[in-house]
Amino acid sequence: MTGRDEAAKRSGPFSLEAPIKTILTGDRPTGPLHLGHYVGSLKNRVQLQHQYRTFVLVADMQALTDNADNPAKVRQNVSEVALDYLAVGLDPKVSTFCVQSMLPELAELTMYYLNLVTVARLQRNPTVKEEFRRLQRAPADADEAQLRELEAQVPAGFLCYPVSQAADITAFKAHLVPVGEDQKPMIEQTVELVRSFNRIYGEVLVEPEALIPQIARLPGTDGQSKMGKSLGNAIYLSDPADVVAKKVRGMFTDPKHLRVEDPGRVEGNPVFTYLDAFDPDTAQVQALKEHYQRGGLGDTVVKRRLAEVLEAFLGPIRKRREEYARDPAEVMRLLKDGTDRARQVTASTLSAVRKAMHLDYWP
Ligand code: TRP
């Protein structure tokens, strides 16, 4: 019996009657995962894996959409991301880990979906738009015409990655997609595709729903709204303790809080946002906030508390990661087993899709 079945049994007859819903999420293997990934999505997944049939996809094809010239990096990071999953407590006996490119049905489904979306719609996707600008290093003061020019230079696969993500989600018939706030437009676009598909070919696909946590986005250590690999403002789940301590010491705080006696701002102060996200002692966080706002509490003291809190959180994660990292063959085996199981689901969906599309020429 899997852990999921046990969990279903424990929660009583009610959940036995209701069919178990499916979750699909994933990450691009372009680097190790960071605290932003944890707060935005991993934490939810770890909790939800016991209530839902959970698939976690290492999206290597999606990583290639902006790393086509760097396949070795993507390959290397497939293992890193799998290690991060294991380290935070995604349990391969409960959740199914799988590798996107080893599920050819996902590429096939992407191709069918591309006929159901316009180029203009793809160009309007806010997440893609934001990433375009980063990818093309668009100057902050670029006008619309310049931006359009730059965007046209991006690989077509990158423009289309929301469609491939819709294929990921729907091939698993996922009901729920736990993601960070930045991924919301992807789910919206998936819902549109599902509706078009079902209208034209018949009710085959499931409309998914995004599951976004309360703190949907962790700011970077520099106070920028988003923590990101390419922004150089991330604390990684795999960072050694001294690196974390150093990053915390260098964190952005309230720039107007110059002397200890000065009253400081907690809104938009990432040190407090991180405490809200990671300090289990909420009463103490509240007291620190009040003291900081009143004046008389120095940044160093708050940062020291944050470093402690993060170490209490990351220490066990780091340890588990190191244990799994000793046996890379075992990690690959977990990915392969999961992918084999996932393939049964994606193949079954594709067979229904092909039938609905009149593409079932012979059995
Ligand atoms: N786009 C997601 C990210 O950048 C990764 C991803 C790929 C994904 N396929 C998915 C997320 C399917 C949720 C569901 O992290």
Side-chain angles (χ1 to χ4, degrees):
M1 187 156 39
T2 67
R4 191 181 59 245
D5 295 335
E6 282 164 27
K9 224 172 149 188
R10 261 202 313 277
S11 50
F14 176 77
S15 65
L16 280 182
E17 277 162 31
I20 285 189
K21 289 193 172 177
T22 299
I23 279 183
L24 184 271
T25 45
D27 299 277
R28 324 172 156 216
T30 51
L33 302 182
H34 51 61
L35 293 180
H37 291 111
Y38 184 81
V39 169
S41 165
L42 293 170
K43 186 180 180 189
N44 247 343
R45 297 181 203 171
V46 172
Q47 285 164 355
L48 296 170
Q49 65 181 337
H50 300 288
Q51 293 157 40
Y52 299 95
R53 193 159 78 124
T54 299
F55 295 92
V56 190
L57 185 73
V58 186
D60 58 342
M61 287 199 289
Q62 194 179 106
L64 287 167
T65 62
D66 58 345
N67 287 280
D69 55 352
N70 212 341
K73 170 177 132 186
V74 174
R75 173 64 192 254
Q76 167 64 27
N77 282 306
V78 169
S79 310
E80 295 298 319
V81 166
L83 284 173
D84 286 330
Y85 289 164
L86 293 162
V88 296
L90 280 170
D91 180 348
K93 290 203 249 354
V94 179
S95 294
T96 303
F97 298 179
C98 45
V99 179
Q100 190 185 30
S101 67
M102 296 306 278
L103 296 164
E105 291 80 12
L106 301 180
E108 183 184 348
L109 194 53
T110 303
M111 205 64 198
Y112 301 144
Y113 287 174
L114 281 170
N115 302 321
L116 303 178
V117 64
T118 64
V119 174
R121 174 65 182 92
L122 287 166
Q123 285 168 331
R124 260 198 327 269
N125 185 308
T127 305
V128 175
K129 256 180 128 151
E130 197 182 303
E131 288 169 345
F132 268 151
R133 285 164 197 193
R134 177 183 51 76
L135 207 64
Q136 296 293 69
R137 300 185 204 295
D141 58 351
D143 61 32
E144 273 305 310
Q146 275 173 301
L147 285 173
R148 263 200 308 278
E149 181 82 5
L150 283 171
E151 285 173 7
Q153 302 309 314
V154 148
F158 188 82
L159 178 69
C160 298
Y161 94 73
V163 179
S164 133
Q165 189 157 331
D168 300 341
I169 295 168
T170 52
F172 285 92
K173 301 212 161 134
H175 304 90
L176 294 172
V177 189
V179 281
E181 194 178 32
D182 63 312
Q183 293 290 305
K184 216 170 149 187
M186 300 296 157
I187 316 302
E188 283 161 12
Q189 199 155 7
T190 303
V191 168
E192 286 172 33
L193 276 163
V194 168
R195 289 189 183 153
S196 316
F197 186 100
N198 285 350
R199 182 169 40 76
I200 303 170
Y201 305 113
E203 289 286 326
V204 174
L205 304 173
V206 174
E207 265 186 41
E209 216 180 293
L211 211 84
I212 295 167
Q214 287 238 308
I215 300 185
R217 188 181 262 206
L218 201 69
T221 51
D222 57 356
Q224 288 224 33
S225 73
K226 190 180 172 180
M227 181 177 281
K229 255 178 314 257
S230 50
L231 303 169
N233 62 4
I235 296 179
Y236 295 98
L237 296 168
S238 48
D239 272 345
D242 56 330
V243 173
V244 177
K246 186 158 174 259
K247 287 181 179 176
V248 170
R249 277 198 302 276
M251 270 178 84
F252 175 88
T253 60
D254 173 4
K256 295 209 182 97
H257 185 240
L258 296 174
R259 287 168 306 173
V260 173
E261 318 80 89
D262 293 339
R265 274 176 66 86
V266 302
E267 299 83 24
N269 186 332
V271 178
F272 285 100
T273 315
Y274 288 22
L275 282 174
D276 277 334
F278 293 101
D279 193 339
D281 190 346
T282 50
Q284 201 195 341
V285 174
Q286 191 52 35
L288 283 173
K289 282 184 182 172
E290 281 162 20
H291 193 176
Y292 194 79
Q293 285 168 317
R294 237 181 6 251
L297 180 61
D299 283 336
T300 359
V301 178
V302 194
K303 285 181 174 175
R304 210 175 298 138
R305 170 70 193 158
L306 177 60
E308 260 171 43
V309 164
L310 287 183
E311 193 43 35
F313 170 71
L314 288 172
I317 291 179
R318 199 180 297 125
K319 193 160 160 266
R320 236 181 335 226
R321 199 180 199 283
E322 280 160 12
E323 279 160 22
Y324 280 107
R326 270 185 230 130
D327 194 351
E330 168 68 7
V331 175
M332 266 306 139
R333 197 185 58 77
L334 290 174
L335 284 172
K336 179 177 185 305
D337 283 358
T339 306
D340 289 346
R341 267 179 285 144
R343 183 116 199 246
Q344 294 175 15
V345 180
T346 57
S348 143
T349 304
L350 259 289
S351 127
V353 162
R354 293 180 60 102
K355 189 156 186 279
M357 294 181 73
H358 300 260
L359 296 171
D360 54 338
Y361 296 101
W362 43 81

